[in-house]
Structures are given as structure tokens and as C-alpha cells.
Amino acid sequence: MIRHDEISNIDLRYRIRKQEILFGGNRKLKIYGKLSCASGKRMKRENRVFFASEKEALALNYRPCGHCMKMEYKKWQRKTN
């Protein structure tokens, strides 16, 4: 997990282009989603984190975004209920 406030914009873009970063998340809400998600783009920089994989986000107890990852969110919801 990489915190947005601990990485430069240049390094962030480089890692996204190299596909080292595939998902973004909200550190306080413990939600992760696609980098293109409108909900993710609205969050504060100090709350934003990045993940190399979905597996990494799940291992850190983040849940899928209900907007950009509807199917994954429904699967997660079924497991928790």
C-alpha cells in the first residue's frame, strides 16, 4: 500500500503507466476501487492510498467500491452477511 501524500505525482504516474499501481482506495473508509472511479477521484489526497493488486487491498481488509466494482462488492457483501 502506498499513501498518496507520500509519493510524488511524477512517481505515481510512472507506476500507473508501468501497471505497478492498479487500484486506489480510501484509507479512512477502507474502500478500494478502480483508478478511473469518480468516487475515488473526489476523495482527499491525505485519505487516498494505492494498491498493486486487488489481493493486496483485500489482505489489508479493504472492501470493493460499490460504484466501480459492483460485482466484486456484491460478492464481498454476501461473504460478510
Side-chain angles (χ1 to χ4, degrees), residues 14-79:
Y14 175 79
R15 289 181 182 207
I16 290 171
R17 269 189 243 116
K18 293 288 185 180
Q19 295 188 338
E20 294 174 11
I21 294 175
L22 298 174
F23 295 94
N26 187 308
R27 185 171 57 92
K28 290 193 176 186
L29 298 175
K30 303 283 273 186
I31 298 170
Y32 76 95
K34 297 177 182 176
L35 295 174
S36 60
C37 181
S39 297
K41 290 181 179 182
R42 288 192 304 263
M43 78 179 82
K44 293 180 180 179
R45 182 183 182 107
E46 62 263 18
N47 294 335
R48 191 176 293 127
V49 292
F50 298 102
F51 303 100
S53 68
E54 190 172 2
K55 188 176 180 179
E56 178 186 7
L58 291 170
L60 293 169
N61 296 317
Y62 280 69
R63 73 161 177 85
C65 174
H67 295 162
C68 66
M69 301 183 75
K70 290 183 192 313
M71 295 299 290
E72 292 85 351
Y73 176 73
K74 287 179 183 179
K75 288 178 190 175
W76 172 85
Q77 205 171 28
R78 278 187 243 123
K79 286 181 185 178

